[in-house]
Amino acid sequence: MSGADEGDGADRTDDATADSPDTDAATDADSQTRRKPVVVVVEPETPGNVGTIARAMKNFGLTDLKLVDPPELKEDGEAYGFAGHAREDVLPNADEVTFDEIVANYHTVGTTAITGEDDQSHERYPFKTPTELRTSLETVDAPTAIVFGREGRGLNNEELSRLDEVCSIPADDDYPVLNLGQAATVLLYELRDLTVGETQLPDTAVTRAPEADVERFHEYFGDFLEATGQREHVREKNALLMRRLLGRAHPTEREIHSLLGTFRKANAKLEHADHLASKYDEPVYPRE
């Protein structure tokens, strides 16, 4: 693999510049940018698949699409129809390149459905799964290209032998071959930690409710169990189960307050039912 050459002055910095936080931040940002791979499709036959790949790129934070000997991509055709919002930037900015240019300028990862059973097939062995590839690329600070082959034949052995790594997506042995758009979507999804800074998912950090509120809930729940007439050993068991359940769940303050309100009202109704039963000498609800 090879990357763009840096000039002779690339390493010449004075001490102030070398120690500057701004310089460190710029270096980190440049490193992250360089780790974002470009996507290459070799001799795609169907414009719709190019559009599908462009859309997957847009979903997972990639913008640089390169095509080797592509079909004509008309703005009113399948490629743009399948591309979604990628029709606005990824697809119109795609570069037409040669396979030789990709090999010469990028750390290359070829994709294939057929891996071979052992190390006798040197072109296709060893291979990485998408998850293993993500871990591998975390340490690669060179321009990287993910190379997809043709719809029907994929990348041939001669092409794979010129690439640096090979990736294959595990699938059912009865039908392991994914179509081009599926393969690109699965692989780019697995690489999302390298390409997407933020997602639409909310913050997953959970602030557990104050322990005093949690304990107050357990008191309410204990009163509820007693009011339902369960035997003491059953109440103790159920109280312990609830404590274990909340211990694993880490309820938020809002969640625990909702539960407190529910059990407070339930306990009040049960207490009122007992009062009425006693007042009118009626049997209470069935007890165990």
Side-chain angles (χ1 to χ4, degrees):
M1 79 183 161
S2 62
D5 292 333
E6 296 182 343
D8 292 339
D11 294 328
R12 290 203 291 263
T13 58
D14 57 34
D15 292 340
T17 302
D19 295 335
S20 167
D22 292 340
T23 301
D24 292 340
T27 300
D28 290 342
D30 180 61
S31 175
Q32 180 64 28
T33 299
R34 286 189 290 118
R35 283 202 299 269
K36 277 193 173 185
V38 305
V39 174
V40 182
V41 188
V42 176
E43 296 181 2
E45 301 163 10
T46 307
N49 276 328
V50 177
T52 300
I53 291 174
R55 179 169 184 156
M57 292 173 62
K58 185 78 171 180
N59 286 144
F60 301 113
L62 297 173
T63 58
D64 198 348
L65 174 63
K66 300 187 183 299
L67 304 172
V68 177
D69 194 17
E72 183 179 2
L73 305 179
K74 300 179 181 179
E75 291 190 11
D76 59 350
E78 273 190 353
Y80 280 80
F82 288 4
H85 288 297
R87 71 170 68 90
E88 300 168 2
D89 49 8
V90 178
L91 203 52
N93 293 323
D95 296 323
E96 188 167 347
V97 297
T98 67
F99 188 82
D100 289 342
E101 289 172 332
I102 297 301
V103 172
N105 291 288
Y106 292 90
H107 172 79
T108 50
V109 180
T111 57
T112 180
I114 302 172
T115 59
E117 295 294 332
D118 53 37
D119 59 1
Q120 298 305 306
S121 177
H122 300 300
E123 295 88 356
R124 299 172 183 266
Y125 186 93
F127 63 92
K128 290 183 172 70
T129 66
T131 301
E132 292 168 338
L133 180 65
R134 181 188 66 224
T135 301
S136 172
L137 292 183
E138 285 176 350
T139 61
V140 175
D141 275 341
T144 300
I146 308 297
V147 185
F148 295 94
R150 306 155 189 85
E151 287 93 328
R153 296 175 288 122
L155 297 168
N156 60 42
N157 283 350
E158 192 276 331
E159 289 165 340
L160 286 170
S161 69
R162 298 180 61 191
L163 303 182
D164 299 306
E165 300 185 73
V166 177
C167 179
S168 182
I169 299 172
D172 193 291
D173 190 50
D174 287 340
Y175 192 34
V177 181
L178 282 69
N179 70 35
L180 187 56
Q182 288 176 314
T185 301
V186 170
L187 180 52
L188 299 185
Y189 168 79
E190 289 292 347
L191 298 181
R192 68 195 182 281
D193 287 347
L194 304 180
T195 61
V196 179
E198 296 181 359
T199 71
Q200 84 283 6
L201 294 177
D203 187 357
T204 56
V206 173
T207 301
R208 181 179 167 89
E211 292 306 313
D213 289 344
V214 175
E215 286 305 312
R216 190 151 58 100
F217 166 79
H218 286 303
E219 291 175 8
Y220 281 15
F221 186 65
D223 292 341
F224 172 81
L225 293 176
E226 184 174 1
T228 58
Q230 292 183 339
R231 296 187 181 94
E232 184 177 359
H233 75 279
V234 177
R235 296 200 308 269
E236 291 177 353
K237 180 186 70 174
N238 287 337
L240 180 59
L241 289 175
M242 178 60 74
R243 186 172 289 276
R244 295 288 183 265
L245 179 63
L246 282 191
R248 295 194 303 270
H250 300 300
T252 64
E253 187 170 4
R254 181 176 181 180
E255 290 169 339
I256 208 69
H257 282 178
S258 294
L259 292 173
L260 282 171
T262 298
F263 278 94
R264 179 178 58 81
K265 291 181 179 180
N267 288 341
K269 286 184 177 293
L270 288 171
E271 184 178 353
H272 182 63
D274 279 347
H275 171 73
L276 291 177
S278 176
K279 180 177 179 179
Y280 296 104
D281 195 25
E282 295 285 343
V284 296
Y285 48 84
R287 295 177 180 267
E288 294 181 351

